[in-house]
Amino acid sequence: MINIAPVEEYLRGVVPEEMGVYFSKEALKAQAVAARSFTLKNRNRHKDFDLCATSHCQFYGGVDSAKKLTDEIILETRGEIVTYGGVVVDTNFHTDSGGMTENVADVWGSAAPHLLPAKELEIKTQPWTQEMSAKNFA
């Protein structure tokens, strides 16, 4: 099934799925702008449709996912996008960097001047440590 939706309507099913409503209003605004930019930059990412509903593109739950708070934030940031040199950029985002983001060239093979490695300001999930026996690891 393919869902045809204008960008602002599509974001109503993305922002609450990607971030929820438990973060600060400013964080949700940043997510809305990043999701909008990602959406516009990645149109036609797939052969027969623009974006899928998984982590490959952006989690999308349709209108059933829409929340009053995120709807208000999407409206408040309407039309706001991230550009570099006058071009909409690929605003890749993730749940957790583990304390430091990677150089985009090392991840995808080509440099992007707007995607530079950076340390997290708040490190709540570091260190990423998992201990297990050699047997369980194997």
Side-chain angles (χ1 to χ4, degrees):
M1 177 171 72
I2 296 176
N3 183 9
I4 299 171
V7 172
E8 300 300 312
E9 190 68 22
Y10 166 75
L11 292 175
R12 295 181 66 214
V14 171
V15 176
E17 290 293 322
E18 285 289 352
M19 196 164 185
V21 296
Y22 308 106
F23 289 85
S24 73
K25 187 174 181 182
E26 293 305 309
L28 289 166
K29 283 181 182 180
Q31 180 63 44
V33 173
R36 182 180 295 110
S37 302
F38 182 91
T39 300
L40 294 172
K41 181 66 176 182
N42 287 285
R43 285 185 169 164
N44 299 313
R45 192 171 199 195
H46 295 276
K47 183 181 178 200
D48 297 319
F49 53 92
D50 289 328
L51 301 165
C52 64
T54 71
S55 62
H56 176 260
C57 293
Q58 297 182 113
F59 283 111
Y60 174 71
V63 293
D64 290 342
S65 295
K67 304 283 186 271
K68 185 178 186 292
L69 176 61
T70 51
D71 282 355
E72 290 170 3
I73 285 166
I74 291 163
L75 185 60
E76 216 174 294
T77 63
R78 183 178 181 85
E80 292 182 28
I81 55 172
V82 180
T83 62
Y84 184 86
V87 177
V88 179
V89 297
D90 205 354
T91 51
N92 300 291
F93 50 87
H94 50 80
T95 302
D96 192 333
S97 72
M100 180 78 184
T101 60
E102 184 58 76
N103 180 351
V104 70
D106 294 337
V107 177
W108 288 303
S110 60
H114 65 284
L115 293 176
L116 302 174
K119 287 186 177 186
E120 269 188 43
L121 298 177
E122 289 186 43
I123 302 175
K124 296 183 179 179
T125 59
Q126 243 189 326
W128 282 3
T129 303
Q130 177 67 45
E131 293 183 26
M132 65 182 70
S133 68
K135 180 182 175 183
N136 284 344
F137 179 75

